[in-house]
């Protein structure tokens, strides 16, 4: 992981992305760990904050002591990121302010910043709205490290949109750890695109405390070569009529591995709460490892919870339809994968970043070998 | 509707009169409480084990002491093995006629309807009372087909089938599998051995019924079924016990070997008393083109951990699991299924329903594994959970582990309560709220009921009605 540098430190996260209710240990899905040497850590060199910022929104770059909030990856990852913070912002949106443009945070993991540990807080006051877009890139073969933590506080009637795009090179280790808290009618919408890295971990825990609070989470993941992807999402329904939508879709190629954990947790008192969760995995290689644990935990009668997961090859009927219209099998496959990602990528507000994501996926799809049967 | 909900009352306990009648404990011999080498040696000597079995028991005991309790699932803190009596011999040997069975034991089984069912609709019956089989019989025409249905002890000592038992015993569920498998290996007693020769179709079911009468006792029966190539069998298992204030333990083990193109249906209606820890292990190995069908109804016990597992070893093997779990007051029933697709073109279908009521907790837990070379496999899982009040709990904990791309795997789960609209619809047609709810729950359970022989479907529906009775005031 170190890229041959002298100044390295040891990363040892023994228990992260923990499933809220454990299952058989021999499945090895209850949690994961992350360990190894990471490159030297120093304050981030260069600018990562967009120059055009929304009006009437306060943005601080110094460390900020945010209220306690648990995250998807858990306490160990929170502490490590906080203790080794290299950069990050705290965004405060006053009551009633609707930010007129997104806040873009662009991080580059490279020789100058081989380890990036960014800690962000987004505090949206009552009735406010804000969009924050984070992107992480690196040179294609750079061996770096990124560990991020973002805490989202949506007060009554507030809306926070968080878009995180990870396009790191194949040598990078990466994690994105999110915690969210929603007051009455508060909404947190998160889009995560986990597309690169040697090892990519993501965690999100949303505490839906307020009545009619809402989490919308859409994730796309892409695994190729020997990438390992490990995801843990938890929607914690405490508020009545709270609503969560967790939807993930991805493609796995080569020898990639993915573990997806998604939990909808209805606490007692969360009357009329609704939670929907889905995961759709397209598999393209006999050597992939695709693991899923979609949980519903329920201590309240008056709720509606649903989850669905499916995994397999692209549907033969859809392939046939496209091929009967003149596309080769490879072209049809690429088109269908792109179509699967498109509903999520279309919601990235920056056209340049959106194109970067689509181009990244297209380039990676070029590697799919035509199937000879 | 809201006004009606506010007047809701709950019954404390279902009427389990039939199951709860306790016989006076009249055992000529039982071991002391707890689990020691001395006790295991004692059981082995009393059962006149062959040396290999004696050694197997001692090895299992070592494994038991080495393994930890599971770190997942319901808490087993209330279970103290030092207070469990692992072997209680009933005051009779095994009989081939009900008239030879002592009256107190015979009366119990008559109340449970076993002799009547045997006369009407079964090809053979085994009845276990505490640690030993007290009755075993198989119809002559089935015996003439070459079908062997006997108690495990007889099979262990049989010159013809003893080697078969030795070859298969705890091969699918090794003692190292988990702590209660090891416990079973050390103190197992009773259970049935079934062998169906190649291409023999047993047209009517065989049934074993397990009754645990003594308080503070454990039941550890072993069921070993071998269905040979092209053969078919339906085996039914029933179990019950009267309620006591001390913990009872059931740690049985079921091993099923389904041959090439063979078919086995294994149906269970479990209605243990609500002081029972039901930590049972069931596993099937299915060869090429074979089919295992599990039908499982879990109604009783204080705590259950039960996940029948199917290993689809041969190409084209299939498994189907249909299960229902109903947890009421004081119950935590952690049930589900496991399947390993170990060969190409294997198919699994898991369909479960669970109902939680009166503070009961249902957990659906499953694992679907598709191994790297098991291409062309299909797996479909569907689980639905119904919450009948806000004091209960229902969790769904599935896992999928897929190791190749040529698969079609689907999973879906739903959780919720009975729709007000459905109750309103039925009530607007003159049905009381209580009946409407019972009808909806019975309808919810129907996919399981229709998989059972009619007598058992009726028993299951009666259990549901009993559970639902008086739930609306």
């Amino acid at each position: 992981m170190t890229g041959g540098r002298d100044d390295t430190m040891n990363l040892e996260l023994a228990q992260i992305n923990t499933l809220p209710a454990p299952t058989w240990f021999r499945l090895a899905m209850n949690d994961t760990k992350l360990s190894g040497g990471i490159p030297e850590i120093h304050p981030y060199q260069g600018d990562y904050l967009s120059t055009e910022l929304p009006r009437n929104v306060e943005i601080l770059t110094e460390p900020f002591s945010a209220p306690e909030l648990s995250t998807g990856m858990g306490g160990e990852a929170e502490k490590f990121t906080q203790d080794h913070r290299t950069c990050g912002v705290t965004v405060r949106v006053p009551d009633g302010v609707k930010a007129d443009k997104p806040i873009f945070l662009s991080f580059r993991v490279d020789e100058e910043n081989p380890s990036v540990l960014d800690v962000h807080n987004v505090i949206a006051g009552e009735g406010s709205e804000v969009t924050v877009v984070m992107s992480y890139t690196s040179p294609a073969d750079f061996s770096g490290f990124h560990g991020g933590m973002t805490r989202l506080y949506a007060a009554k009637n507030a809306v926070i949109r968080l878009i995180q795009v990870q396009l790191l090179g194949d040598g990078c280790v990466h994690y994105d750890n999110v915690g969210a808290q929603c007051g009455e009618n508060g909404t947190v919408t998160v889009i995560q695109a986990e597309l690169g890295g040697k090892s990519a971990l993501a965690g999100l825990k949303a505490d839906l405390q307020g009545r009619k609070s809402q989490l919308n989470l859409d994730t796309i993941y892409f695994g190729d070569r020997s990438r390992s992807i490990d995801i843990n999402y938890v929607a914690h329904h405490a508020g009545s009529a709270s609503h969560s939508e967790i939807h993930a879709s991805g493609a796995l190629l080569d020898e990639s591995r993915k573990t997806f954990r998604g939990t909808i947790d209805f606490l007692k008192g969360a009357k009329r709460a609704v939670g929907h969760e889905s995961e759709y995995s397209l598999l393209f290689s006999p050597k992939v490892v695709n693991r899923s644990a979609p949980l519903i935990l329920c201590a309240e009668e008056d709720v509606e919870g649903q989850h669905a997961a499916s995994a397999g090859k692209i549907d033969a009927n859809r392939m046939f339809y496209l091929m009967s219209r003149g596309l080769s099998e490879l072209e049809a496959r690429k088109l269908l994968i792109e179509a699967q990602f498109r509903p999520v990528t279309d919601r990235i507000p920056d056209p340049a970043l959106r194109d970067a994501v689509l181009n990244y996926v297209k380039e990676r799809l070029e590697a799919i070998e035509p199937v000879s049967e | 509707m809201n006004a009606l909900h506010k007047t809701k009352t709950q019954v404390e306990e279902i009427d389990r009169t039939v199951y709860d009648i306790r016989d006076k404990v009249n055992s000529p011999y039982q071991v002391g409480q707890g689990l020691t080498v001395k006790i295991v040696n004692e059981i082995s000597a009393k059962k006149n084990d062959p040396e290999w079995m004696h050694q197997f028991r001692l090895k299992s005991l070592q494994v038991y002491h080495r393994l930890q309790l599971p770190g997942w699932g319901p808490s087993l803190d209330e279970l103290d093995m030092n207070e469990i009596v692992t072997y209680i011999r009933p005051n009779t040997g095994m009989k081939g006629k009900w008239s030879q069975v002592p009256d107190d034991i015979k009366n119990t089984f008559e109340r449970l309807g076993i002799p009547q069912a045997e006369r009407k609709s079964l090809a053979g019956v085994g009845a276990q009372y505490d640690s030993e089989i007290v009755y075993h019989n198989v119809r002559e025409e089935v015996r003439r087909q070459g079908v062997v249905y006997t108690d495990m002890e007889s099979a262990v000592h049989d010159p013809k089938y003893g080697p078969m038992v030795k070859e298969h015993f705890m091969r699918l569920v090794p003692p190292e599998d988990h702590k209660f498998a090891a416990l079973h290996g050390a103190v197992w007693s009773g259970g049935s051995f079934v062998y169906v020769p190649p291409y023999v179709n047993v047209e009517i079911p065989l049934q074993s019924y397990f009754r645990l009468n003594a308080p503070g006792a454990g039941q550890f029966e072993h069921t070993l079924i071998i269905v040979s190539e092209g053969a078919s069998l339906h085996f039914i298992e029933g179990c019950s016990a009267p309620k006591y204030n001390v913990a009872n333990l059931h740690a049985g083990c079921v091993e099923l070997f389904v041959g090439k193109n063979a078919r086995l249906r294994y149906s269970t209606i479990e209605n243990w008393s609500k002081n029972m820890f039901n930590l049972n292990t069931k596993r099937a190995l299915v060869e090429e083109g074979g089919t295992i069908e599990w039908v499982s109804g879990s109604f009783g016990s204080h705590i259950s951990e039960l996940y029948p597992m199917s290993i689809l070893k041969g190409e084209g093997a299939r498994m189907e699991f249909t299960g229902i779990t109903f947890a009421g007051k004081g119950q935590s029933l952690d049930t589900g299924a496991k399947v390993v697709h170990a060969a190409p073109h294997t198919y699994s279908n898991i369909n479960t329903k669970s109902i939680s009521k009166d503070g009961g907790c249902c957990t659906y837990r499953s694992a679907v594994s598709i191994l790297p070379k098991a291409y062309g496999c299909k797996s479909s899982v569907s689980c639905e959970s119904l919450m009948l009040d806000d004091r209960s709990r229902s969790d769904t904990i599935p896992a999928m582990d897929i190791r190749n791309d040529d698969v079609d795997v689907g999973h879906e789960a739903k959780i919720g309560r009975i729709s007000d609209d459905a109750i309103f619809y039925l009530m607007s047609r003159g049905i009381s709220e209580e009946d409407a709810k019972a009808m909806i729950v019975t309808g919810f359970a129907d996919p399981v009921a229709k998989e059972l022989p009619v007598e058992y479907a009726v028993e299951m529906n009666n259990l549901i009605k009993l559970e639902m009775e008086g739930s609306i005031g």
Side-chain angles (χ1 to χ4, degrees):
Chain A
M1 207 195 288
T2 61
R5 294 174 198 82
D6 295 331
D7 300 326
T8 63
M9 70 170 291
N10 195 41
L11 168 71
E12 189 73 50
L13 304 177
Q15 198 174 26
I16 49 176
N17 274 358
T18 304
L19 207 58
T23 190
W24 291 289
F25 290 173
R26 67 188 58 173
L27 294 172
M29 290 174 72
N30 287 329
D31 52 43
T32 191
K33 63 182 177 183
L34 186 58
S35 60
I38 59 171
E40 60 175 305
I41 294 173
H42 58 68
Y44 193 86
Q45 308 290 309
D47 295 325
Y48 54 84
L49 183 61
S50 52
T51 47
E52 286 189 39
L53 296 171
R55 283 173 297 168
N56 302 324
V57 172
E58 185 186 0
I59 300 174
L60 310 168
T61 52
E62 51 270 19
F64 180 82
S65 179
E68 281 290 308
L69 183 57
S70 58
T71 59
M73 291 182 69
E76 269 189 272
E78 288 164 27
K79 186 170 186 318
F80 184 83
T81 323
Q82 191 77 57
D83 289 351
H84 300 91
R85 176 188 186 275
T86 62
C87 55
V89 297
T90 293
V91 177
R92 282 173 173 277
V93 193
D95 291 356
V97 169
K98 294 186 172 24
D100 57 349
K101 56 174 71 80
I103 298 162
F104 290 97
L105 300 161
S106 309
F107 299 93
R108 183 82 178 158
V109 179
D110 55 15
E111 288 293 348
E112 207 172 6
N113 293 296
S115 279
V116 175
L117 285 113
D118 49 334
V119 176
H120 311 285
N121 305 296
V122 181
I123 302 164
E126 201 171 312
S128 66
E129 278 187 35
V130 66
T131 300
V132 180
V133 183
M134 299 174 184
S135 64
Y136 303 91
T137 56
S138 77
D141 51 0
F142 186 74
S143 297
F145 171 72
H146 164 246
M149 174 164 71
T150 305
R151 288 175 289 210
L152 310 172
Y153 304 84
K156 184 178 178 183
N157 296 325
V159 176
I160 299 175
R161 293 179 207 92
L162 173 68
I163 292 118
Q164 295 181 307
V165 175
Q166 185 265 108
L167 300 168
L168 294 167
D170 290 332
C172 288
V173 171
H174 151 92
Y175 68 74
D176 246 327
N177 186 21
V178 179
Q181 188 183 81
C182 296
E184 183 181 338
N185 206 35
T187 299
V188 163
T189 296
V190 178
I191 291 175
Q192 287 190 324
E194 293 292 349
L195 304 173
K198 176 172 74 178
S199 175
L201 295 94
L204 183 147
K205 184 173 179 185
D207 193 1
L208 301 174
Q209 287 180 346
R211 191 175 69 86
K212 289 193 170 179
S213 53
Q214 188 157 348
L215 167 71
N216 302 307
L217 171 56
D218 285 285
T219 290
I220 52 174
Y221 57 81
F222 185 83
D224 65 353
R225 301 175 194 176
S226 58
R227 179 170 308 132
S228 159
I229 301 166
D230 194 287
I231 294 171
N232 186 41
Y233 294 147
V234 182
H236 214 236
H237 288 260
S240 60
S242 51
H243 193 127
S244 64
E245 295 286 340
I246 301 174
H247 302 287
S249 65
L252 298 176
L253 290 71
D254 307 330
E255 295 181 13
S256 60
R257 306 164 67 87
K258 182 250 12 177
T259 301
F260 175 86
R261 305 175 195 84
T263 302
I264 299 170
D265 188 0
F266 295 112
L267 305 185
K268 192 170 166 61
K271 289 191 181 300
R272 300 184 307 287
V274 175
H276 296 148
E277 180 187 357
S278 70
E279 197 213 350
Y280 182 38
S281 304
L282 285 175
L283 310 178
F284 288 95
S285 155
K287 292 182 178 170
V288 295
V289 174
N290 178 39
R291 306 194 302 171
S292 302
L295 274 57
I296 302 181
L297 309 176
C298 181
E300 173 55 53
E301 169 201 20
D302 188 5
V303 297
E304 178 196 317
Q306 276 185 26
H307 63 218
S310 68
K313 288 188 159 179
I314 288 177
D315 177 55
N317 291 330
R318 293 163 79 188
M319 288 292 289
F320 177 79
Y321 177 86
L322 292 173
M323 289 168 73
S324 70
R325 271 137 188 90
L327 269 67
S328 72
E329 182 174 347
L330 186 58
E331 286 166 337
R333 280 174 176 229
K334 289 175 182 172
L335 191 66
L336 286 168
I337 296 176
E338 202 183 318
Q340 188 180 344
F341 286 175
R342 202 76 196 217
V344 176
T345 55
D346 279 354
R347 289 162 58 198
I348 297 171
D350 174 29
L353 184 58
R354 191 162 58 227
D355 289 347
V357 169
L358 288 173
N359 288 335
Y360 179 92
V361 173
K362 270 183 190 160
E363 268 175 37
R364 293 293 184 141
L365 291 177
E366 294 300 325
I368 299 180
E369 298 293 328
V371 178
S372 52
E373 292 185 5
Chain B
M1 290 306 303
N2 287 339
L4 283 170
H5 278 151
K6 280 175 194 158
T7 59
K8 190 187 285 184
T9 59
Q10 304 291 336
V11 286
E12 285 300 303
E13 188 73 47
I14 65 159
D15 176 3
R16 292 176 38 96
T17 316
V18 171
Y19 306 103
D20 271 341
I21 293 175
R22 307 168 184 177
D23 296 338
K24 187 180 167 202
V25 178
N26 186 15
S27 166
Y29 173 76
Q30 66 179 60
V31 296
Q33 291 177 320
L35 193 60
T36 61
V37 171
K38 180 170 169 282
I39 284 174
V40 170
N41 281 335
E42 219 174 308
I43 294 172
S44 187
K46 282 284 170 193
K47 300 179 83 65
N48 192 25
D49 277 342
E51 187 51 25
W52 72 267
M53 183 60 82
H54 180 212
Q55 291 306 320
F56 190 93
R57 287 181 188 276
L58 292 172
K59 185 191 116 195
S60 300
L61 181 64
Q62 284 176 0
V63 176
Y64 173 83
H65 287 306
R66 203 175 67 227
L67 294 180
Q68 301 293 314
L69 285 171
W72 43 270
S75 165
L76 300 176
D77 290 349
E78 295 169 65
L79 177 66
D80 183 355
M81 270 313 293
N82 294 322
E83 292 181 356
I84 296 288
V85 177
T86 51
Y87 181 79
I88 297 189
R89 172 171 283 182
N91 65 341
T92 177
M94 188 179 78
K95 308 296 181 196
K97 289 183 178 169
W98 282 110
S99 59
Q100 295 165 345
V101 176
D103 284 348
D104 53 344
I105 297 177
K106 185 176 70 184
N107 292 342
T108 295
F109 283 108
E110 277 188 348
R111 278 194 298 272
L112 295 165
I114 307 304
Q116 299 89 317
E118 181 182 8
R119 285 193 294 273
K120 257 171 51 187
S121 57
L122 296 172
V125 159
Q128 178 158 339
Y129 192 85
D130 290 335
S131 296
E132 294 291 359
I133 293 279
V134 293
Y135 174 83
H136 228 292
N137 190 28
V138 61
R139 284 192 189 183
E140 188 50 39
E141 61 265 35
V142 176
R143 203 192 310 268
R144 277 203 301 270
Q145 285 181 297
V147 175
V148 177
Y149 178 38
T150 183
D151 63 300
M152 274 300 291
E153 274 78 7
S154 301
V156 167
H157 292 99
D158 189 280
K160 190 170 173 190
Y161 299 106
M164 203 184 274
V165 173
K166 187 176 176 185
E167 187 190 335
H168 292 90
F169 185 82
M170 295 200 81
R171 192 185 120 200
L172 278 184
V173 184
E176 294 78 8
D177 204 70
H178 59 86
K179 194 169 182 73
F180 294 97
L183 172 65
H184 177 92
V187 299
W188 77 273
S189 178
S192 296
F193 171 76
V194 183
Y195 170 73
V196 185
Y199 304 102
V200 168
N201 174 21
V202 184
E203 287 179 355
I204 47 177
L206 301 177
Q207 183 185 11
S208 283
Y209 198 96
F210 302 102
R211 175 77 178 173
L212 183 54
N213 179 63
Q219 195 168 57
F220 307 96
E221 84 288 350
H222 194 94
T223 302
L224 174 57
I225 299 178
I226 300 166
V227 184
S228 307
E229 183 173 339
S232 69
L233 173 70
H234 183 187
F235 190 88
I236 301 170
E237 175 192 69
C239 21
S240 70
K243 186 171 181 182
Y244 293 104
N245 292 325
V246 294
N248 276 36
L249 170 63
H250 176 234
C253 179
V254 173
E255 296 184 289
L256 311 175
F257 293 85
V258 181
K260 186 176 173 184
N261 298 324
R263 174 182 287 267
L264 172 60
R265 168 170 283 215
Y266 196 92
S267 302
T268 306
I269 289 285
E270 175 271 301
N271 192 23
W272 292 115
S273 56
K274 292 180 183 175
N275 59 315
M276 180 69 83
F277 286 78
N278 181 34
L279 310 172
N280 211 6
T281 310
K282 298 180 178 181
R283 203 160 288 175
L285 184 72
V286 189
E287 304 285 352
E288 184 184 337
T291 301
I292 176 76
E293 297 171 349
W294 303 93
V295 181
S296 183
S298 295
F299 294 89
S301 83
H302 172 46
I303 285 176
S304 270
E305 291 185 6
L306 178 61
Y307 327 95
M309 179 175 182
S310 309
I311 301 163
L312 304 178
K313 183 187 168 203
E315 186 159 355
R318 290 173 182 269
M319 85 76 101
E320 183 135 347
F321 180 90
T322 309
I324 185 159
T325 301
F326 198 137
K329 185 179 177 183
Q331 292 184 280
S332 180
L333 306 186
D334 198 307
T335 60
K338 295 193 271 188
V339 58
V340 177
H341 291 258
H345 303 293
T346 48
Y347 308 94
S348 64
N349 187 11
I350 298 173
N351 189 354
T352 70
K353 310 267 184 180
S354 69
I355 303 160
S356 312
K357 180 179 171 288
D358 265 353
C361 176
C362 277
T363 302
Y364 166 77
R365 191 183 298 274
S366 68
V368 173
S369 303
I370 299 185
L371 302 188
K373 297 203 170 147
Y375 52 83
C377 294
K378 287 189 180 180
S379 173
S380 164
V381 177
S382 165
C383 56
E384 294 184 23
S385 308
L386 202 53
M387 295 272 287
L388 296 186
D389 57 55
D390 59 4
R391 289 173 293 149
S392 304
R393 185 169 181 92
S394 185
D395 295 338
T396 304
I397 308 176
M400 284 156 275
D401 187 345
I402 300 161
R403 305 273 170 148
N404 80 73
D405 61 334
D406 187 5
V407 297
D408 182 354
V409 178
H411 170 98
E412 58 179 45
K414 281 184 195 162
I415 194 158
R417 65 172 185 165
I418 296 177
S419 132
D420 286 346
D421 290 346
I423 297 174
F424 177 77
Y425 176 85
L426 291 169
M427 289 176 72
S428 70
R429 269 128 188 96
I431 295 166
S432 71
E433 187 181 359
E434 185 178 314
D435 285 349
K437 275 201 164 186
M439 278 173 81
I440 291 165
V441 173
T442 307
F444 178 74
D446 190 57
V448 183
K450 75 182 182 195
E451 295 297 328
L452 291 168
V454 67
E455 298 80 3
Y456 294 88
V458 169
E459 184 185 342
M460 194 184 89
N461 283 336
N462 284 340
L463 282 167
I464 289 171
K465 277 185 192 145
L466 282 169
E467 289 279 5
M468 294 300 296
E469 226 164 63
S471 66
I472 312 291

